[in-house]
Amino acid sequence: MAQTATSKQIGTATLNYEGKSASLPVLAGSLGPAVADIRKIQGDLGMFTFDPSYGATASCESSITYIDGDEGILLYRGYPIDQLAEKSTFLEVAYLLMNGELPTKPEFAEFTHHVTMHTMLHEQIRRFWDGFRRDAHPMAMLCSVVGAMSAFYPDSIDIHDPKQREISAFRMIAKIPTITAWAHKYNVGQPLVYPQNDLTYSENFLHMFHAVPAEPYKQNPILSRAMDRIFILHADHEQNASTSTVRLAGSTGANPFACIAAGIASLWGPAHGGANEAVLKMLAEIGHKDNIPAFITQVKDKNSGVKLMGFGHRVYKNFDPRAKIMQRTCYEVLEALGIKDSPLLDLAMELEKIALEDPYFVERKLYPNVDFYSGIILKAMGFPTTMFTPIFALARTVGWVSQWMEMIEDPQQRIGRPRQVYTGAVQRDYVPVEQR
Ligand code: ACO
């Protein structure tokens, strides 16, 4: 797997407090702002730093993904996302994220072979589905089944063995489409469709998701390409909430399947991966263009608790570059499916237009994120809304796995353990219940 380059010291910052002084090394990576290394601050000044939600804290060194939120730039291993979405395939991007370089032809053939050979699930895992309620949310099933993989593949959970780490990575990347498709099949009461290894990664997923034994399933190359592109756009996104969850879980030495299950749980929330599902719910609730102004008024009212889903991002304070590609893909998919009028897309476009001109959104630098359009494409491709976040999880599995591997191989790695500012009761004595 790829070697991580380390940051270099480019200066020193000094922090003074109550007559004491701390010299903080200022470090620079290959791109992005410098960072102050505060690791010695507790020893030098007897204090911690306070950064709830980590908006100003780099938690690790990483050479996988780079984001410039002001410029709207996203690079995987240095390659711009639009070039990869246009010219590459999801499996090639998976190789790139995991290994640091684009593969040669023989390297890619070997990688594809490894992923393909692991697409089937242990037959006993099938029985999990009988235990779930039919209406179980597919994210609940993904979380459980991926976590349970550690019980089925104990031969690849020794995190200190590089070969086992690699096998567990192949297993997760290869099997997550099967698990995701089966979660859907169980929901709708159709027979589970087994993987077909002569298909590409995206074709195989579409086949397992849409095919039924009674009829042949015909692939539409525009749709399988769109699927591949959606996977590429969601493959990694540096230290977001779910990736940080994977790293934090992994820092304890937990096995890789347990760590990825933790990542899936974190992705589920509507502020993160659940936003694509929330966008469609929001559009359905708005219902008609005429209702947009009233909805925007509600969004701007802090007491309403209503947000414009698919807008805003912790890091992007300019257009999310993935949203632009998603918008283009949206048109291609609708055309390929012969959908001339999409009231949903029209509504989304009008909402976007109004929001982008409104001072509330302009001042706060709120732009559409990747999820604003992804739901519309996925809906057009025949995926129910509950499957949007699982599809995101499917694609992000390779990012989580790559980040987890990088963390395990990092010589600086130790258990992640944030501190706190305690604001509770000061020490006091226990009072027996009769005296309270
Ligand atoms: N609608 C309305 N107002 C918003 C929105 C929004 N979608 N997003 C941010 N704001 C407002 C906040 O209320 C805040 O206003 P204030 O300064 O007057 O208090 C200001 O913009 C700054 O927002 P923060 O909440 O500080 O931004 P943060 O970085 O914490 O949140 C987040 C980012 C969670 C993505 C937020 O923008 C949001 O909830 N968006 C909607 C959900 C969504 O689309 N999530 C997907 C993210 S992309 C992904 O995970 C793939």
Side-chain angles (χ1 to χ4, degrees):
M1 294 296 144
Q3 291 292 309
T4 306
T6 49
S7 54
K8 294 196 173 43
Q9 184 168 353
I10 53 165
T12 306
T14 309
L15 191 62
N16 300 311
Y17 182 67
E18 288 189 337
K20 283 189 275 184
S21 174
S23 289
L24 311 177
V26 175
L27 310 175
S30 49
L31 286 171
V35 296
D37 180 346
I38 52 138
R39 277 176 286 185
K40 290 205 306 199
I41 200 171
Q42 189 194 357
D44 292 349
L45 294 184
M47 61 161 67
F48 300 122
T49 52
F50 183 52
D51 183 21
S53 74
Y54 317 119
T57 297
S59 61
C60 61
E61 288 187 350
S62 179
S63 57
I64 300 176
T65 293
Y66 174 74
I67 302 174
D68 183 330
D70 293 325
E71 297 298 323
I73 292 171
L74 169 60
L75 310 175
Y76 291 166
R77 300 284 191 184
Y79 295 101
I81 190 66
D82 51 328
Q83 290 184 24
L84 293 172
E86 202 58 46
K87 299 175 183 170
S88 188
T89 62
F90 176 70
L91 270 196
E92 192 181 52
V93 168
Y95 182 99
L96 174 70
L97 288 170
M98 283 173 71
N99 296 284
E101 297 295 336
L102 287 168
T104 60
K105 268 191 181 170
E107 283 167 343
F108 188 53
E110 197 191 336
F111 181 80
T112 307
H113 173 78
H114 282 311
V115 174
T116 308
M117 286 306 114
H118 284 289
T119 51
M120 278 171 56
L121 289 168
H122 190 296
E123 192 58 14
Q124 201 80 357
I125 295 183
R126 256 187 92 105
R127 299 231 189 136
F128 265 78
W129 272 271
D130 295 333
F132 293 120
R133 278 170 51 144
R134 281 281 170 190
D135 61 354
H137 195 289
M139 283 298 275
M141 295 192 255
L142 251 67
C143 253
S144 324
V145 175
V146 171
M149 282 172 77
S150 42
F152 286 91
Y153 305 104
D155 58 340
S156 61
I157 59 172
D158 178 357
I159 62 160
H160 304 295
D161 177 349
K163 195 69 206 158
Q164 290 199 32
R165 292 203 295 270
E166 192 181 41
I167 293 171
S168 69
F170 282 134
R171 282 184 166 145
M172 278 184 279
I173 296 165
K175 293 181 200 305
I176 193 76
T178 315
I179 296 170
T180 309
W182 284 14
H184 166 69
K185 287 294 188 196
Y186 185 73
N187 276 158
V188 293
Q190 288 180 1
L192 308 183
V193 177
Y194 283 87
Q196 272 191 11
N197 289 348
D198 57 338
L199 299 174
T200 67
Y201 192 86
S202 296
E203 286 172 348
N204 194 26
F205 173 63
L206 289 171
H207 177 257
M208 288 189 287
F209 193 93
H210 290 301
V212 287
E215 285 175 32
Y217 176 72
K218 204 167 172 314
Q219 296 280 347
N220 178 334
I222 296 181
L223 297 190
S224 53
R225 181 74 194 115
M227 192 79 260
D228 216 55
R229 198 173 287 162
I230 291 168
F231 290 161
I232 292 172
L233 294 181
H234 287 90
D236 195 49
H237 213 228
E238 54 119 301
Q239 308 311 318
N240 55 82
S242 56
T243 302
S244 298
T245 303
V246 170
R247 279 186 178 257
L248 196 55
S251 77
T252 69
N255 77 68
F257 301 109
C259 296
I260 302 307
I264 295 171
S266 171
L267 186 77
W268 196 353
H272 193 8
N276 48 17
E277 194 177 333
V279 168
L280 273 219
K281 278 195 193 134
M282 174 189 76
L283 292 175
E285 272 163 31
I286 297 173
H288 193 273
K289 283 180 193 177
D290 295 350
N291 300 329
I292 293 177
F295 177 74
I296 295 278
T297 307
Q298 235 184 332
V299 166
K300 292 194 291 192
D301 174 7
K302 284 268 143 56
N303 299 321
S304 73
V306 178
K307 278 201 165 169
L308 177 48
M309 300 312 285
F311 258 67
H313 198 274
R314 170 58 61 83
V315 182
Y316 293 120
K317 301 301 171 195
N318 193 328
F319 229 86
D320 178 342
R322 301 169 300 173
K324 285 186 190 165
I325 304 165
M326 216 41 121
Q327 194 189 36
R328 274 206 307 276
T329 310
C330 196
Y331 286 115
E332 281 171 26
V333 165
L334 294 180
E335 199 184 317
L337 292 170
I339 301 173
K340 296 220 167 19
D341 296 310
S342 165
L344 216 52
L345 181 61
D346 291 348
L347 187 58
M349 299 267 297
E350 186 65 18
L351 187 58
E352 179 188 335
K353 189 169 156 278
I354 292 175
L356 288 178
E357 286 165 359
D358 190 304
Y360 174 94
F361 298 93
V362 176
E363 281 160 17
R364 289 171 179 75
K365 299 186 176 171
L366 299 171
Y367 291 89
N369 59 49
V370 65
D371 286 327
F372 194 69
Y373 286 104
S374 63
I376 298 170
I377 308 179
L378 292 173
K379 186 176 159 63
M381 288 172 77
F383 294 106
T385 39
T386 50
M387 286 310 300
F388 295 177
T389 316
I391 288 170
F392 189 163
L394 185 171
R396 184 55 60 85
T397 296
V398 69
W400 291 327
V401 162
S402 306
Q403 299 268 354
W404 173 79
M405 283 194 164
E406 184 181 64
M407 185 203 67
I408 299 284
E409 289 165 16
D410 183 351
Q412 300 188 70
Q413 190 271 324
R414 56 185 194 142
I415 188 168
R417 176 56 170 92
R419 301 303 302 261
Q420 63 171 11
V421 180
Y422 177 67
T423 56
V426 296
Q427 186 170 332
R428 48 190 170 160
D429 290 324
Y430 177 82
V431 180
V433 67
E434 301 76 30
Q435 294 167 29
R436 282 179 231 156

